[in-house]
Amino acid sequence: MDLENGIKDIVIVGAGPAGVACAWRLAQLGYEPVLLEKETFPRDKVCGDALSGKVVALLRKLGGDAILTDLLQQPFAHPVEYLDFFSGKGVRVRLRFPPRLGYPQGFLAPRYWFDQWLVRHLPTSVRLITGFTVQRLQREADVWIVHGSEGRSIKARFVVGADGTTSRVAPIVHAYHRIPRPIVYPSVRGYIKGEPIEGLQLHFKKPYLPGYLWKFPLSDKRLNVGMALPTDSLRRANLSLRKHAAEVFPEATALGGHGIPVALQSRPLAAPGCALVGDAAALADPLTGEGIGNALLSGIRLAEALARVPITEWAISDWNALYARPLYQELSQQFRLMRFLHKLARSAWRLEMTIAAFSLLPIATKPLLRWYGAKD
């Protein structure tokens, strides 16, 4: 059963930040994308819930001052001004991101509410369909048939995979280029009641290296807490991550696991007639796991790339040249710094020395602030 009559120009699978940003920017550019989401809103996503300065800047690009003003008024949004890195010995490096243009440059916003808030602001030309679980994609000539549950289907000239680490679109790209799946770091998140802390805290210490433990303050006198680390570190430490999280945070509720697809290397992000954004494209920061900023950016950049090419040429265009390579170039300084620090973090003593050096030379944190997206 065709869910929509005819062939749609663009179908986006996944209505998280990456999919919403792509749909939003396409609508601004004159398209009428269809946005598919397997859940109904509000729905939870296991996440650290932190919105970086890059997220704030990109939201402003999409919705102007009005959307940031609206975000400030939401009871779930908690502005934050600090990001603290702690070493195993307790040495702290503080990044301060002051308000800019009248708005905070960082927020905590639980995904349960944030994602619903985002879709409420979508332009009216975006067709949002919830409760659509994509089961498989079929290619016929230059048209995709997106098959869902209960025999439903939808046809499209171009499909965007914004469906995270379990993407149905990503295997098509991987198979086309004969590349393995990206590296995914296991992580666990929970919520605890606790005294408010000044800002975001990332703790880099054994046995998590080169991963980390986090504590983030929410607006309702709770903390978002969790940990993430590479699979090989888990094996070396002989850890069950969920069991360990329950021991470290015995009072935690809503413990949930998820995977962080880290950007340890540049990868093809497209195949004929389809492309990946956000976590499906494995764009999360390899040092901190932050992914919402690059999710929004990738969605916006793919939309802009599509708008530069006539629809009749979408099926034959090289989207890795038009979208993926320029995106990686734009992110090159950030990834170069974070990959270096991530590699360094595999050694506890080197990490201690680095954090100690940063703590003695605050000016050296400027590159980290630029990575976070904060501006003076």
Side-chain angles (χ1 to χ4, degrees), residues 37-239:
E37 168 60 39
K38 65 180 179 180
E39 308 287 349
T40 56
F41 291 98
R43 53 98 174 100
D44 193 23
K45 286 287 184 180
V46 176
C47 180
D49 298 335
L51 307 181
S52 68
K54 178 186 288 187
V55 172
V56 175
L58 291 170
L59 287 176
R60 191 167 186 265
K61 175 182 176 66
L62 288 172
D65 289 336
I67 193 170
L68 294 184
T69 300
D70 189 76
L71 180 59
L72 272 172
Q73 296 172 349
Q74 300 304 313
F76 64 78
H78 176 55
V80 290
E81 193 175 347
Y82 301 105
L83 170 60
D84 290 332
F85 295 84
F86 288 91
S87 75
K89 294 182 179 180
V91 178
R92 183 186 72 183
V93 172
R94 166 161 286 183
L95 304 186
R96 180 179 181 272
F97 22 95
R100 185 170 185 267
L101 302 176
Y103 302 103
Q105 293 196 73
F107 286 89
L108 262 293
R111 292 287 300 278
Y112 183 84
W113 299 115
F114 177 70
D115 285 14
Q116 178 181 239
W117 173 82
L118 267 183
V119 298
R120 279 208 319 264
H121 286 274
L122 278 169
T124 56
S125 57
V126 177
R127 172 86 162 100
L128 173 64
I129 302 174
T130 60
F132 188 105
T133 301
V134 175
Q135 295 183 331
R136 65 187 179 91
L137 289 92
Q138 176 185 351
R139 186 77 162 160
E140 289 189 356
D142 292 339
V143 174
W144 287 103
I145 305 175
V146 183
H147 295 278
S149 53
E150 300 177 357
R152 298 180 297 174
S153 65
I154 186 169
K155 297 178 181 178
R157 293 182 175 85
F158 198 94
V159 172
V160 179
D163 44 347
T165 55
T166 58
S167 173
R168 292 288 188 175
V169 184
I172 295 170
V173 175
H174 301 160
Y176 182 81
H177 294 282
R178 299 182 181 180
I179 57 174
R181 295 180 57 194
I183 294 173
V184 175
Y185 283 7
S187 68
V188 172
R189 175 227 65 190
Y191 294 104
I192 63 173
K193 293 181 180 180
E195 292 298 318
I197 57 178
E198 284 189 304
L200 314 176
Q201 293 186 3
L202 292 174
H203 297 259
F204 293 88
K205 59 183 181 180
K206 292 181 177 180
Y208 313 112
L209 299 178
Y212 52 90
L213 180 151
W214 73 79
K215 295 180 181 179
F216 297 163
L218 299 174
S219 61
D220 55 1
K221 297 183 179 179
R222 291 186 304 159
L223 299 178
N224 179 315
V225 297
M227 54 191 65
L229 62 161
T231 304
D232 59 345
S233 297
L234 269 176
R235 285 197 295 264
R236 284 198 303 272
N238 194 27
L239 279 180

Side-chain angles (χ1 to χ4, degrees), residues 172-367:
I172 295 170
V173 175
H174 301 160
Y176 182 81
H177 294 282
R178 299 182 181 180
I179 57 174
R181 295 180 57 194
I183 294 173
V184 175
Y185 283 7
S187 68
V188 172
R189 175 227 65 190
Y191 294 104
I192 63 173
K193 293 181 180 180
E195 292 298 318
I197 57 178
E198 284 189 304
L200 314 176
Q201 293 186 3
L202 292 174
H203 297 259
F204 293 88
K205 59 183 181 180
K206 292 181 177 180
Y208 313 112
L209 299 178
Y212 52 90
L213 180 151
W214 73 79
K215 295 180 181 179
F216 297 163
L218 299 174
S219 61
D220 55 1
K221 297 183 179 179
R222 291 186 304 159
L223 299 178
N224 179 315
V225 297
M227 54 191 65
L229 62 161
T231 304
D232 59 345
S233 297
L234 269 176
R235 285 197 295 264
R236 284 198 303 272
N238 194 27
L239 279 180
S240 164
L241 194 57
R242 187 182 291 263
K243 181 179 178 181
H244 182 65
E247 293 171 350
V248 174
F249 304 111
E251 70 276 37
T253 61
L255 273 178
H258 71 122
I260 301 175
V262 291
L264 289 176
Q265 60 185 8
S266 299
R267 302 167 53 86
L269 301 181
C274 65
L276 308 175
V277 294
D279 277 358
L283 295 175
D285 186 280
L287 181 69
T288 67
E290 198 281 329
I292 297 178
N294 288 343
L296 292 173
L297 180 67
S298 61
I300 290 170
R301 294 295 182 252
L302 177 58
E304 293 169 344
L306 285 164
R308 289 194 291 268
V309 178
I311 292 175
T312 54
E313 298 179 13
W314 281 358
I316 59 173
S317 296
D318 182 353
W319 295 106
N320 285 299
L322 294 167
Y323 155 64
R325 289 173 206 156
L327 177 67
Y328 278 121
Q329 182 60 36
E330 185 173 357
L331 295 171
S332 60
Q333 288 187 339
Q334 172 196 342
F335 282 164
R336 197 156 39 237
L337 174 62
M338 292 301 108
R339 287 167 181 167
F340 169 75
L341 292 175
H342 172 269
K343 185 176 181 179
L344 182 148
R346 287 189 173 273
S347 168
W349 70 269
R350 287 178 181 166
L351 184 63
E352 289 285 350
M353 289 178 60
T354 302
I355 292 180
F358 275 129
S359 70
L360 295 173
L361 295 169
I363 195 172
T365 63
K366 289 289 186 181

